[in-house]
């Protein structure tokens, strides 16, 4: 690799390399911070929403590649962030924007990547990498730039292959809040909801508050006693990174609270944990669903929703029939199915007030097809309160 390369506008740029654990190498240009980063290489198919992707805690531990070729043209701002920081382990783009052009922009994407210490790479054929990951599956990877670009091929590959795998990894402790806090209801008050923060997005809390909930956000270390002491009208498990099979403690918490007849809604990781609480297994997808353009069938209405996804694991439940929970929670149906691969995208309990979806109905950065699920949750809580009155 030459010591320097030139961008399309004539600027010089330092070399960088993306190395996959199977030995594949892709040479490009340094982007963002310089140095070395390791993580699981995944691809996201959204044409827009890179800021929401970068600040989504569910991407912790992952090197995210955008399949859209041109990234960064709208810059970055303080309004669209889904958390307090960028969480991705690394960032891969084909053609970073040379200029920022948006009235809401406050700084460039490159500026934020540098400030956050996120090592990235640009100038590689992201279509080729995507096709490879679709065939071979998501895998460990590394981006090397600066002094680390000078390591030998063997040294770089050894570092990648020594990195942690996502299977069996619990990342909730890295992304959860350290202290409990409350977001007060902004709509007509319905009651309170206890939110277990496993990597929650800011827009999720906003939508719950808009539906009339006082939102009590709890760290992932909270116990069932902590939840029940709040006497919440409902429980919510958020999205988050990691393997659901490494979260036995959260599964036990959920089972305990469900047996106290507290209504439940879960998103993404919260769907996988409900599946486990009900007695189903989970498994790792080959390359996962990531992007804001995934077609999902709502089996109750027959409506196809275009939805936002970010998950590498899924619930193993039968989609062709109503099942019986082996943990004593009654009948369960698969409520939503991905039309690309028939992956379970939602669960609905028929005998207890609980449901969940695998995708992200808070719709940041779009689309808005599934936003109604927050209304469904609100209606379920109201009905539960009325039945107990």
């Amino acid at each position: 690799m030459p010591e320097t390369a030139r961008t399309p506008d004539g600027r010089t740029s330092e070399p960088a390399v993306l190395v996959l654990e199977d030995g594949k190498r892709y040479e490009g240009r340094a982007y963002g911070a310089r140095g070395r980063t390791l993580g699981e290489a995944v691809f996201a198919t959204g044409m827009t929403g890179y800021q929401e992707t970068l600040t989504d805690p569910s991407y912790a531990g992952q090197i995210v590649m955008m399949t859209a070729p041109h990234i960064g043209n709208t810059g970055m701002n303080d309004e669209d962030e889904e958390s307090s920081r960028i969480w991705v382990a690394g960032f891969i783009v084909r053609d970073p924007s040379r200029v920022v052009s948006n009235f809401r922009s406050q700084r460039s994407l490159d500026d934020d990547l540098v400030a956050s210490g996120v090592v990235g790479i640009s100038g590689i054929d992201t279509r080729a990498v995507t096709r490879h990951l679709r065939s071979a599956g998501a895998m460990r990877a590394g981006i090397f730039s600066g002094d680390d670009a000078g390591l030998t091929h063997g040294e770089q590959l050894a570092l990648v292959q020594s990195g942690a795998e996502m299977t069996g990894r619990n990342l909730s402790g890295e992304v959860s809040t350290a202290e409990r806090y409350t977001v007060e209801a902004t709509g007509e008050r319905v009651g309170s909801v206890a939110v277990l923060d496993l990597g929650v997005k800011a827009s999720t809390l906003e939508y719950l508050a808009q539906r009339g909930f006082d939102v009590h956000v709890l760290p992932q270390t909270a116990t069932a006693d902590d939840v029940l002491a709040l006497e919440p009208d409902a429980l919510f498990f958020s999205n988050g990174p990691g393997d659901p099979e490494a979260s036995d403690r959260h599964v036990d918490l959920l089972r305990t609270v469900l047996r106290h007849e507290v209504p439940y809604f879960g998103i993404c990781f919260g769907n996988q944990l409900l599946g486990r609480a009900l007695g189903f297994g989970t498994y790792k997808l080959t390359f996962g669903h990531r992007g804001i353009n995934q077609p999902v069938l709502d089996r109750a209405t027959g409506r196809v929703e275009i939805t936002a996804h970010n998950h590498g694991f899924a619930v193993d439940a039968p989609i062709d029939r109503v099942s019986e929970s082996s943990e004593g929670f009654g009948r369960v149906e698969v409520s939503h199915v991905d039309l690309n691969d028939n992956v379970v995208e939602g669960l609905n309990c028929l005998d207890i007030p609980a449901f969940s979806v695998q995708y992200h109905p808070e719709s940041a950065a779009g689309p808005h097809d599934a936003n109604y699920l927050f209304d469904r949750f609100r209606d379920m809580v109201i009905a539960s309160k009325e039945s107990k009155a």
Side-chain angles (χ1 to χ4, degrees):
M1 183 184 295
E3 291 186 1
T4 60
R6 287 192 177 272
T7 61
D9 63 349
R11 294 176 299 176
T12 60
S13 178
E14 301 173 37
V17 61
L18 168 68
V19 180
L20 302 182
E21 71 171 283
D22 63 359
K24 284 273 190 179
R25 298 172 57 84
Y26 302 87
E27 296 182 350
R29 300 185 299 272
Y31 185 53
R34 272 47 170 180
R36 171 201 315 172
T37 189
L38 304 174
E40 181 185 50
V42 300
F43 59 88
T45 57
M47 295 287 287
T48 61
Y50 59 82
Q51 179 167 350
E52 290 84 352
T53 294
L54 288 166
T55 56
D56 180 351
S58 296
Y59 281 113
Q62 294 179 321
I63 296 175
V64 177
M65 178 176 63
M66 305 300 293
T67 60
H70 191 57
I71 299 296
N73 58 304
T74 58
M76 300 285 279
N77 62 62
D78 294 331
E79 297 177 28
D80 294 337
E81 295 186 347
E82 285 300 315
S83 66
S84 61
R85 53 167 286 191
I86 292 177
W87 286 101
V88 301
F91 201 47
I92 307 169
V93 302
R94 177 179 172 178
D95 297 317
S97 178
R98 298 190 298 273
V99 296
V100 172
S101 180
N102 188 275
F103 74 97
R104 298 174 65 238
S105 176
Q106 296 171 273
R107 54 196 176 272
S108 73
L109 170 56
D110 185 58
D111 288 341
D112 271 16
L113 293 175
V114 171
S116 299
V118 177
V119 177
I121 185 171
S122 67
I124 65 173
D125 187 347
T126 52
R127 295 169 300 176
V129 184
T130 298
R131 289 174 67 88
H132 182 65
L133 294 178
R134 279 182 60 89
S135 298
M139 64 182 75
R140 290 173 294 180
I143 300 174
F144 301 88
S145 63
D147 292 341
D148 288 283
L151 297 173
T152 68
H153 295 184
E155 289 172 330
Q156 291 170 343
L157 182 58
L159 287 168
V160 170
Q161 293 177 340
S162 66
E165 296 198 38
M166 192 59 68
T167 300
R169 196 172 179 190
N170 187 326
L171 293 169
S172 300
E174 296 184 18
V175 300
S176 179
T177 180
E179 302 289 340
R180 170 187 158 187
Y181 63 94
T182 298
V183 179
E184 295 185 356
T186 56
E188 181 179 354
R189 191 179 186 281
V190 169
S192 64
V193 57
V195 173
L196 191 68
D197 178 8
L198 303 169
V200 72
K201 297 165 73 173
S203 53
T204 299
L205 304 179
E206 178 184 345
Y207 282 128
L208 289 170
Q210 288 176 357
R211 266 62 179 190
F213 291 105
D214 290 328
V215 184
H216 303 299
V217 185
L218 305 177
Q220 61 90 29
T221 54
T223 65
D225 288 340
D226 294 331
V227 172
L228 295 172
L230 295 173
E231 298 183 351
D233 295 299
L235 173 65
F236 177 91
F237 274 17
S238 77
N239 59 290
D243 185 346
E245 291 191 3
S247 292
D248 289 343
R249 181 167 51 80
H250 301 135
V251 172
D252 291 339
L253 184 160
L254 180 52
R255 285 175 179 157
T256 298
V257 177
L258 288 177
R259 291 188 174 110
H260 280 77
E261 300 181 345
V262 176
Y264 172 82
F265 179 27
I267 286 177
C268 197
F269 202 55
N271 176 70
Q272 296 160 15
L273 295 181
L274 176 61
R276 291 198 60 212
L278 296 173
F280 300 115
T282 54
Y283 64 99
K284 194 175 192 301
L285 296 168
T286 302
F287 51 83
H289 300 168
R290 297 174 181 89
I292 59 178
N293 48 10
Q294 306 280 337
V296 167
L297 174 65
D298 183 338
R299 304 179 78 185
T301 65
R303 181 186 179 195
V304 177
E305 304 166 1
I306 303 303
T307 59
H309 288 222
N310 175 14
H311 64 107
F313 294 84
V315 176
D316 185 9
I319 65 175
D320 58 345
R321 67 182 187 277
V322 173
S323 305
E324 190 74 22
S325 166
S326 62
E327 295 294 325
F329 294 110
R331 298 166 298 154
V332 184
E333 65 180 0
V334 172
S335 58
H336 296 75
V337 177
D338 192 290
L339 293 180
N340 286 329
D341 52 15
N342 286 327
V343 165
V344 172
E345 294 292 341
L347 298 170
N348 184 39
C349 297
L350 301 179
D351 298 313
I352 62 171
F355 74 98
S356 60
V357 291
Q358 184 59 65
Y359 50 95
H360 289 222
E362 79 288 331
S363 65
H368 302 127
D369 293 22
N371 195 256
Y372 70 90
L373 289 165
F374 289 98
D375 296 324
R376 181 180 293 181
F377 179 48
R378 178 181 183 275
D379 293 343
M380 181 180 72
V381 173
I382 292 173
S384 177
K385 293 178 69 173
E386 290 176 348
S387 69
K388 296 175 183 178

